[in-house]
Amino acid sequence: MSRRSGIVMALVFAFSVVGLDWSLGVAPDPYRSPDPMAYGSKSGASGAICTFAPGAEQ
């Protein structure tokens, strides 16, 4: 396989994954999503932004 065909195959794969996700996906509901600053917090959806405080238990 030449370098050019590998690049073309990688681009086709990337565009097909993005296209499938875009066509089959559902738009996010901003009223049901957690606070962006609480991303990764186990209690983020309940508004527990204080879990990022220094010294907070993990």
Side-chain angles (χ1 to χ4, degrees):
M1 175 175 8
S2 69
R3 189 178 297 186
R4 180 175 292 182
S5 63
I7 292 171
V8 168
M9 285 176 28
L11 287 175
V12 167
F13 177 74
F15 282 123
S16 62
V17 167
V18 170
L20 280 173
D21 183 43
W22 190 27
S23 66
L24 299 176
V26 178
D29 184 5
Y31 299 107
R32 294 188 63 202
S33 64
D35 185 17
M37 293 299 293
Y39 185 71
S41 169
K42 292 182 179 170
S43 304
S46 66
I49 196 67
C50 59
T51 57
F52 279 91
E57 293 181 23
Q58 295 192 12

